[in-house]
Amino acid sequence: MNFVKMHGLGNDFVIVEVSSWEDADALQPHAKAVCDRNFGVGADGLIAIGRDLEMDVFMRIFNSDGSEPEMCGNGIRCVARYVYEHHLVDKTSVSVRTLAGPIYPEVKVMDGQVVSITVDMGEPILSRALIPMLGVGANVKVKASTVNGEFELTGVSMGNPHCVIFVTDIDKTPVALWGPALETHQLFPAKTNVEFVQVIDRDEMIMRVWERGAGITLACGTGACATLVAAVLNGHTGRAATIHLLGGDLFIEWKEQDNHIYMTGPATEVFSGRIELGQA
Ligand code: ZDP
């Protein structure tokens, strides 16, 4: 299997072209081995792409534990750059079919070079049933008790589930301890991605993530989008902010006119290679 290794702010992916959405099924059992950093290529996720019948291209992603999330913010910037530079499309505005519905990235090119990708991530989902987050009422701000104490969290779906927790000192936050307890908390029947966030001012935040099915990663695009939504709902920031992640910065905007979230950030191709499936 030929692949290209890409990353968005250090959130890294093995990208593979397949001939149809359904054909990606055959890759899922290999995701864990391919993503293994010692015995495989090494990545946070395996992404299958190809030309789609209705949209320009489709994208399916498998986490490093083999599970299939609905969406992937950093991954979709990589996919947009890939299909543009590898000529699967001949335009900079791309429509991508995902498990979370159609998503529309726009590749920004200056002097023939890709400089960034802005993605229309659609509307955030703030209905508890759809996140999905259990419990009564419509409020997405809830208290959750865990073995590590009680947390005030804000649930948001960007196609995939997120829970955002504001902290006063991000460097003292034990992400690897608190993350897994919240990922598998009974409030979240489909599990959840977990974001810990320190607000710097009205347009700047620092975020650390514990990803569902992948653990600590250097960045999470959908998580950064969910973070901005939670920050606005809690009155911490305005509707646009720069979010500092371990792997770099994302700029997120929640536009008033269409209620859509726009995410801007880089995507980088690192190398290409070939791996025999079943050998990893
Ligand atoms: O929802 C999940 O299970 C996530 N682990 C999917 C990956 C999200 C990603 N980090 C992102 O940038 O949105 C790729």
Side-chain angles (χ1 to χ4, degrees):
M1 174 181 85
N2 293 315
F3 67 86
V4 166
K5 181 77 196 296
M6 297 187 80
H7 75 87
L9 298 178
N11 191 196
D12 60 342
F13 308 99
V14 168
I15 312 243
V16 180
E17 281 186 48
V18 296
S19 45
S20 72
W21 176 278
E22 291 73 26
D23 278 1
D25 287 349
L27 284 178
Q28 185 163 12
H30 300 285
K32 201 172 168 188
V34 169
C35 291
D36 191 291
R37 296 197 184 277
N38 297 104
F39 295 95
V41 181
D44 295 323
L46 171 64
I47 293 180
I49 60 170
R51 286 199 181 84
D52 191 57
L53 296 175
E54 286 157 39
M55 318 241 70
D56 294 325
V57 292
F58 63 82
M59 150 181 146
R60 288 179 69 184
I61 169 169
F62 305 108
N63 285 320
S64 53
D65 75 350
S67 59
E68 180 172 19
E70 302 81 352
M71 238 305 273
C72 173
N74 291 321
I76 203 157
R77 292 199 315 280
C78 293
V79 169
R81 179 167 192 158
Y82 182 105
V83 299
Y84 174 74
E85 290 189 326
H86 293 255
H87 307 293
L88 271 73
V89 298
D90 55 8
K91 52 187 181 174
T92 50
S93 293
V94 189
S95 58
V96 185
R97 178 177 164 203
T98 78
L99 211 48
I103 306 279
Y104 301 93
E106 165 107 37
V107 182
K108 298 268 159 68
V109 182
M110 264 167 63
D111 302 328
Q113 299 291 318
V114 173
V115 286
S116 66
I117 298 100
T118 296
V119 187
D120 177 350
M121 300 283 283
E123 299 187 54
I125 299 162
L126 296 169
S127 133
R128 284 177 77 132
L130 296 178
I131 289 172
M133 181 165 81
L134 300 180
V136 285
N139 202 342
V140 292
K141 292 191 245 174
V142 299
K143 287 189 167 64
S145 48
T146 73
V147 286
N148 305 303
E150 194 175 68
F151 290 89
E152 277 186 35
L153 59 88
T154 305
V156 179
S157 167
M158 286 306 307
N160 55 350
H162 292 270
C163 98
V164 181
I165 292 161
F166 293 96
V167 298
T168 46
D169 188 343
I170 197 75
D171 293 327
K172 294 208 175 90
T173 302
V175 178
L177 181 69
W178 291 355
L182 289 155
E183 177 193 3
T184 55
H185 195 278
Q186 56 179 29
L187 266 175
F188 298 98
K191 299 195 192 165
T192 186
N193 296 286
V194 187
E195 285 81 31
F196 299 98
V197 181
Q198 182 182 336
V199 177
I200 301 177
D201 56 34
R202 297 292 299 170
D203 54 20
E204 231 178 309
M205 295 181 268
I206 307 172
M207 180 195 117
R208 297 287 175 265
V209 62
W210 176 269
E211 272 190 41
R212 176 180 69 167
I216 289 180
T217 61
L218 295 180
C220 179
T222 50
C225 297
T227 291
L228 179 78
V229 172
V232 170
L233 294 178
N234 286 280
H236 293 318
T237 68
R239 296 180 73 100
T242 298
I243 303 190
H244 304 290
L245 307 152
L246 284 172
D249 295 351
L250 287 174
F251 179 72
I252 315 288
E253 199 173 357
W254 186 5
K255 287 211 176 127
E256 211 131 29
Q257 34 319 6
D258 59 3
N259 198 38
H260 286 208
I261 308 285
Y262 293 82
M263 169 191 67
T264 301
T268 308
E269 184 170 326
V270 191
F271 65 91
S272 58
R274 193 178 159 75
I275 181 171
E276 297 313 319
L277 291 180
Q279 310 259 305

